[in-house]
Amino acid sequence: LQVRSGQVTHSIRDTTIDGIEIREGDYLGIFEKAIVSATPSLQLTCRELLTLMLENGGELITVLTGEPADKAETSELETWVRETYPDAELEVHEGGQPLYPYLFAVE
């Protein structure tokens, strides 16, 4: 059983990493240890990250919400995951972590 992990956080400065243009305030999608998405939209960043994480399938998607996550955003994300990956089980838990609105695990 292989677990793939990802997280979403905020950029604190303008930079370019692995060819990805990042602006201060962008949301960063990090898959394992690599930045794979940087957009001004939290929702879009989460979707791009999860799409990559689920490229090779996944039966269980676990979402840990952090201090910066808000309920409406989380609800929208849950709806998208359920519609896009109807065969995967989705679990959402309050993680309470600072700085990271979402942590993801895919099994």
Side-chain angles (χ1 to χ4, degrees):
L1 185 68
Q2 184 191 6
V3 178
R4 298 179 293 277
S5 64
Q7 59 258 359
V8 176
T9 191
H10 251 118
S11 171
I12 55 169
R13 68 183 193 289
D14 290 357
T15 189
T16 302
I17 297 174
D18 295 332
I20 296 176
E21 290 284 323
I22 300 167
R23 299 275 158 251
E24 181 179 345
D26 275 357
Y27 289 96
L28 303 178
I30 304 166
F31 182 18
E32 301 301 342
K33 292 183 169 61
I35 295 172
V36 295
S37 176
T39 79
S41 162
L42 176 57
Q43 202 64 224
L44 180 58
T45 300
C46 289
R47 291 175 185 192
E48 287 181 355
L49 174 58
L50 282 167
T51 299
L52 274 173
M53 291 178 70
L54 286 149
E55 247 178 5
N56 299 317
E59 295 172 10
L60 175 63
I61 302 163
T62 303
V63 178
L64 294 177
T65 62
E67 288 175 5
D70 93 16
K71 290 196 186 320
E73 196 89 50
T74 300
S75 179
E76 187 179 336
L77 183 62
E78 282 183 62
T79 299
W80 177 82
V81 169
R82 290 184 200 285
E83 289 173 356
T84 309
Y85 302 98
D87 296 333
E89 185 181 337
L90 175 64
E91 290 185 0
V92 179
H93 303 284
E94 278 191 37
Q97 67 275 3
L99 306 179
Y100 294 89
Y102 297 105
L103 300 177
F104 300 120
V106 173
E107 298 174 47

